[in-house]
Amino acid sequence: MMSRNSMYTNPKPCKHLADYKLRHGLSGYNLLQEQIRTTPSGKSSVKNHQTEIPRCCFCNGYQKRLYLCLICSSISCSSHTLLHSQCENGHDIAVDIERSELYCVLCCDQVYDPDFDKIVMLKHLMDLPRSGNGVDVSAGRRSSKRRRLCSALELDLKKTKQLVSMRDLRAKSCYPLGLRGLNNLGSTCFMNSVLQALLHAPPFRNYFLTGQRNHEVCRKRSSDRLCLLCDIYVFFSAVFSGDRTPYSPAQLLYSWWQHSANLASYEQQDAHEFFISVLDGIHENGVKARNTGECHCVAHRVFSGQLRSDVTCMSCGYTSTTYDPFMDISLNLDTGNCPSTDLANKSLKPSDNTYVSTLLGCLDLFTKPEKLGSDQKFFCENCQERQDSVKQMSIKRLPLVLCLHIKRFEHFPVRRMSRKIDRYMQFPFCLDMNPYLSSSVVRNRFGNRMFAFEGDELDTSTEFEIFAVVTHSGTLDSGHYVTYLHLKDQWYKCDDAWITAVEEEVVRASQCYMLFYAQKMLYYKANEDLVCQPVSPRADPFLPIAGCC
């Protein structure tokens, strides 16, 4: 499908990268190729032969992330890349030394360019072992063979990626199926982080791997309009194909842009907004029941729950109850242990026990009775006038997969300013949501004197296991999203194209932004040691299937 329309290849580069290529062409890429070093595991880095330990030309530091300017080859750390660009006009494009990725100083994010990718892939191919039995070949044969391989790469980059994929598959055969890096297409780490979580949400993943949608005859797809649901199917198939080379979700990005035109740009977006927008796009393709109007789309079947809101008149005690659906729950950070004046100025560390929030504290705050202000007086049907009131939230129905969003970004319209809360928050890997159900909250409100409670929540499992954590590091204007996945009793860090195994302590110390929990039964069944087999198109997508090799 992608080969039939060039629009589906790769996004256009950012304007700063386009300006650089217009002035300098590929000369900088070609010169850099000599400094690229590859490893058998498939990683690449940049090593300057002039120095043993690269250091920032401004602060002489080497512990922060370092970048090599593509024009003057000077090295600057993450704190001084912008300063270098300001001192040297037009020096806006650099290369991450540790990861061999293009970086736009003005966009403050990785950028993707297929021409640069081709140079790196060629270097990978040139560094492959010289012969199958480990015996070196003659210089003439090696030179001739290298020229033929270079020529083949120029004609067909796909063959090169297949060769590297085969080597990478052998090196990472112990990784679970579906664990695949996603290329940054230009400030798209917000998208990659959420997609990694969706790829491994058990019922959501199973639905898209059943192959029940025929994209070729989709009525929603046209020559100038893409179908988001079809492209999600294609995306899942590509990631779970067994190929280990990083994947570029360009077609999915284009589809999302058409669905959310107001967010269609190469600027950094909010991961939570992307999550809601994608589920909304899936919902538009959903089927509603004729009688009840209930949506049966996969987004609602997996992520949808129901909140209960009780507003009680403080004069007569009359209570008005309303119910609202939710796809995720946004939580304010628990600030009971920290003065409000410290939050804006202090960057908190996990080791600082004085300033620690907890997820349970945030949930307690969410379900805590709140006295409404004088400008929010409640019209009491019993008193027939507006009265002071108390509002209390609770969860009427839990979803199969629970997404908890931590509010780290605050906006002050009056003062026209925004800030990010860099506060550490503890979160459990096993979460019991029973104390936050409406039955528990209402019983506590009346001193546990209510023994019977209406509703379907009593039949729902309240125990959840964490499987994904989306984190945000950096500032409000310049930050980076990373996802941690828990698969087969092992945590993995998904940093765009890079996948690495990490210890549990690394995840606990991260600055969580979105937490994904699955009902315990679904979680454990999805991680059973079963042989990976193709899923039947007639299979029930909400029955767990094997998730790893």
Side-chain angles (χ1 to χ4, degrees):
M1 189 183 304
M2 295 177 66
S3 60
R4 293 198 298 265
N5 194 332
S6 60
M7 183 181 67
Y8 300 152
T9 54
N10 287 302
K12 297 178 181 179
C14 76
K15 60 180 181 180
H16 312 110
L17 179 58
D19 292 341
Y20 165 82
K21 294 182 68 176
L22 186 63
R23 295 195 307 267
H24 304 281
L26 302 180
S27 59
Y29 293 175
N30 295 327
L31 292 175
L32 183 69
Q33 187 184 53
E34 300 178 0
Q35 302 182 38
I36 295 177
R37 301 292 182 266
T38 63
T39 64
S41 62
K43 291 186 177 182
S44 59
S45 60
V46 177
K47 184 175 178 61
N48 193 328
H49 61 85
Q50 298 178 355
T51 176
E52 291 292 332
I53 301 179
R55 295 179 180 271
C56 174
C57 61
F58 290 94
C59 65
N60 203 35
Y62 61 90
Q63 295 181 335
K64 295 183 179 181
R65 183 161 288 181
L66 298 175
Y67 298 91
L68 177 74
C69 177
L70 274 180
I71 298 179
C72 65
S73 297
S74 65
I75 298 175
S76 54
C77 66
S78 54
S79 301
H80 296 111
T81 50
L82 183 59
L83 178 60
H84 173 70
S85 176
Q86 294 171 346
C87 296
E88 301 291 341
N89 186 31
H91 291 215
D92 305 328
I93 305 300
V95 176
D96 188 324
I97 289 180
E98 182 182 356
R99 307 196 303 184
S100 294
E101 291 182 350
L102 285 179
Y103 181 83
C104 177
V105 176
L106 300 181
C107 293
C108 297
D109 206 343
Q110 288 85 5
V111 291
Y112 180 76
D113 183 9
D115 291 329
F116 183 79
D117 186 55
K118 185 184 299 184
I119 296 294
V120 177
M121 297 300 290
L122 175 59
K123 184 64 175 179
H124 274 287
L125 185 62
M126 295 171 64
D127 289 348
L128 286 173
R130 299 173 181 176
S131 62
N133 57 6
V135 179
D136 195 4
V137 294
S138 65
R141 288 183 57 190
R142 182 169 66 248
S143 177
S144 175
K145 181 179 180 180
R146 190 170 293 178
R147 284 196 299 270
R148 291 197 302 270
L149 290 174
C150 293
S151 176
L153 180 73
E154 299 284 275
L155 296 175
D156 192 353
L157 182 60
K158 292 184 178 180
K159 293 182 180 179
T160 304
K161 291 186 175 181
Q162 290 173 357
L163 290 174
V164 177
S165 172
M166 293 172 60
R167 180 191 61 177
D168 211 29
L169 182 61
R170 291 193 298 268
K172 300 182 178 180
S173 59
C174 60
Y175 277 13
L177 182 66
L179 191 59
R180 185 176 184 182
L182 302 176
N183 285 320
N184 192 309
L185 306 177
S187 300
T188 58
C189 59
F190 71 94
M191 176 181 72
N192 292 343
S193 60
V194 172
L195 290 179
Q196 290 288 6
L198 294 178
L199 281 168
H200 299 279
F204 194 80
R205 173 201 63 190
N206 300 351
Y207 177 87
F208 285 102
L209 291 182
T210 56
Q212 294 180 346
R213 188 176 183 86
N214 190 341
H215 350 291
E216 300 296 336
V217 295
C218 176
R219 296 179 181 179
K220 297 182 180 294
R221 182 182 292 273
S222 62
S223 58
D224 59 344
R225 183 74 180 178
L226 302 176
C227 174
L228 180 63
L229 197 58
C230 285
D231 291 326
I232 293 177
Y233 269 98
V234 173
F235 171 69
F236 269 77
S237 300
V239 173
F240 281 89
S241 65
D243 190 348
R244 303 291 176 172
T245 56
Y247 179 75
S248 296
Q251 186 171 339
L252 180 56
L253 177 64
Y254 285 131
S255 291
W256 176 66
W257 277 353
Q258 288 191 348
H259 170 72
S260 304
N262 60 316
L263 300 176
S265 70
Y266 282 98
E267 296 179 356
Q268 179 68 272
Q269 304 292 344
D270 182 67
H272 177 245
E273 288 185 2
F274 173 77
F275 171 73
I276 296 299
S277 177
V278 167
L279 295 189
D280 181 63
I282 296 173
H283 166 69
E284 289 184 358
N285 293 271
V287 179
K288 292 185 178 180
R290 294 182 179 179
N291 297 330
T292 63
E294 182 181 356
C295 181
H296 290 168
C297 74
V298 63
H300 279 84
R301 292 179 67 184
V302 175
F303 292 99
S304 179
Q306 191 176 52
L307 292 175
R308 169 173 170 154
S309 173
D310 294 324
V311 181
T312 303
C313 174
M314 297 180 65
S315 178
C316 69
Y318 173 80
T319 299
S320 173
T321 300
T322 56
Y323 299 95
D324 294 296
F326 72 87
M327 303 299 283
D328 71 316
I329 299 178
S330 294
L331 301 173
N332 290 312
L333 276 169
D334 169 29
T335 58
N337 298 327
C338 181
S340 58
T341 55
D342 293 345
L343 292 178
N345 305 319
K346 193 173 182 65
S347 178
L348 304 172
K349 299 181 180 180
S351 59
D352 193 346
N353 296 324
T354 308
Y355 306 97
V356 172
S357 292
T358 66
L359 179 61
L360 299 184
C362 295
L363 288 169
D364 289 338
L365 186 63
F366 179 77
T367 56
K368 180 181 178 181
E370 175 190 7
K371 183 178 179 179
L372 299 180
S374 57
D375 58 335
Q376 297 177 300
K377 282 192 174 183
F378 159 68
F379 182 82
C380 178
E381 295 183 7
N382 188 40
C383 300
Q384 287 297 304
E385 62 177 320
R386 294 191 176 276
Q387 299 280 13
D388 292 332
S389 58
V390 174
K391 179 180 180 180
Q392 187 170 25
M393 301 294 298
S394 59
I395 301 174
K396 171 70 173 176
R397 188 183 72 249
L398 288 165
L400 297 177
V401 175
L402 177 65
C403 175
L404 300 177
H405 163 236
I406 310 302
K407 295 181 181 179
R408 291 193 175 275
F409 304 119
E410 290 189 337
H411 306 280
F412 306 94
V414 177
R415 289 187 282 175
R416 296 182 180 180
M417 61 174 294
S418 302
R419 68 181 177 93
K420 181 195 171 187
I421 304 176
D422 286 319
R423 193 171 184 200
Y424 172 68
M425 190 191 79
Q426 293 179 348
F427 53 92
F429 289 176
C430 302
L431 178 64
D432 185 5
M433 291 296 293
N434 185 63
Y436 313 105
L437 293 180
S438 298
S439 55
S440 301
V441 172
V442 174
R443 283 195 184 98
N444 290 336
R445 187 194 310 160
F446 292 96
N448 292 323
R449 287 192 291 269
M450 297 179 60
F451 297 97
F453 195 85
E454 79 285 351
D456 52 5
E457 63 191 51
L458 299 178
D459 298 328
T460 304
S461 172
T462 62
E463 294 184 337
F464 286 77
E465 291 283 337
I466 198 167
F467 69 90
V469 180
V470 175
T471 68
H472 182 272
S473 59
T475 63
L476 183 68
D477 299 323
S478 175
H480 186 60
Y481 289 99
V482 169
T483 296
Y484 293 97
L485 294 175
H486 192 222
L487 306 173
K488 294 294 295 175
D489 297 325
Q490 174 64 54
W491 282 98
Y492 298 92
K493 179 182 179 182
C494 303
D495 186 357
D496 288 332
W498 298 95
I499 305 290
T500 54
V502 296
E503 298 297 329
E504 177 181 307
E505 292 74 16
V506 176
V507 182
R508 291 192 182 277
S510 64
Q511 198 173 98
C512 60
Y513 182 58
M514 298 175 69
L515 301 168
F516 290 84
Y517 289 86
Q519 288 189 11
K520 182 173 287 189
M521 180 185 66
L522 287 173
Y523 175 82
Y524 282 114
K525 285 188 177 181
N527 282 278
E528 288 178 352
D529 286 324
L530 298 177
V531 178
C532 290
Q533 296 178 350
V535 184
S536 169
R538 298 181 180 179
D540 185 349
F542 287 84
L543 291 176
I545 64 172
C548 10
C549 297

